[in-house]
Amino acid sequence: MSTAAFFDVDETLVAFKSMFRFLAFHLERRGAAPGTCERLSGTLHRAAADGVPRAEVNRRYYRLYAGESAAALAASGRAWFAHELAGGPFIPGPTARFAAHRRRGDLTVLVSGSFFACLDPVAEHLGADWAFGTRPVIRGGTLTGEVVTPLIGAAKGRTAHAVAAVRGLDLAHCSAYGDHSSDLDLLRAVGRPVVVGSDPVLTAHAQLAGWERLPGTRTAAEPRPQETRT
């Protein structure tokens, strides 16, 4: 029977929030004034701290790219990821699991609130079969600043069900990996959920339901994971 493994990306496979790391890189690359990234990121972080829903914060993030060329953002994303690779961006445990799923022939699927500029280079490097992210609205090759639907929360669970329907999979035999409470719908969608890190909401669910847990950071004894790409 064919099975799939679904992976969140930020702080599940890579050890940072790709959207903000990319934003800083992209703004510097295009010559933005010093402090621009801190100001823009700070506004979003304050909104999250004030209780603004994660999906709405996600929408506000993409409004920062209104008027930007999709091709230029894709090129910036490739340059950004090449820069990140020098520092060893991947978390060992989940990345090793990703490689193991690939070796078994499982369908490997990235499911992230991030977008093509960040997600495509990661997917290509890992050799993921599919990658689903938040889709910015693009007209005439330019981002409008709006998105179709933030791929956050329940949308991740719906994505897993859609993939299963298209590929004829039984989700009871599939796996999913996530690090944040917004990944809960994704983890609940499968029969083999794995919690990465120590998010209190996910940890509570893992303890009650007997879900597997993996460390969310590299320990001193762990080497950097090998590339999983073939």
Side-chain angles (χ1 to χ4, degrees), residues 107-182:
L107 184 74
T108 50
V109 186
L110 305 186
V111 186
S112 174
S114 194
F115 73 133
F116 63 86
C118 308
L119 198 54
D120 288 354
V122 175
E124 181 179 351
H125 181 81
L126 290 174
D129 294 301
W130 281 353
F132 297 93
T134 298
R135 288 176 52 200
V137 176
I138 300 172
R139 293 186 182 135
T142 300
L143 276 67
T144 67
E146 299 304 316
V147 301
V148 177
T149 301
L151 198 49
I152 299 290
K156 290 189 172 184
R158 291 194 295 269
T159 298
H161 282 281
V163 169
V166 169
R167 296 298 295 262
L169 306 175
D170 182 353
L171 286 175
H173 297 285
C174 294
S175 304
Y177 299 75
D179 74 288
H180 188 266
S181 59
S182 60

Side-chain angles (χ1 to χ4, degrees), residues 34-49:
T36 300
C37 183
E38 289 78 5
R39 175 175 56 82
L40 296 176
S41 298
T43 299
L44 297 173
H45 290 316
R46 285 191 295 274

Side-chain angles (χ1 to χ4, degrees), residues 185-210:
D185 288 273
L186 175 63
L187 298 180
R188 282 173 164 168
V190 302
R192 297 168 182 168
V194 182
V195 173
V196 177
S198 56
D199 177 87
V201 173
L202 294 188
T203 297
H205 277 83
Q207 291 171 340
L208 287 171

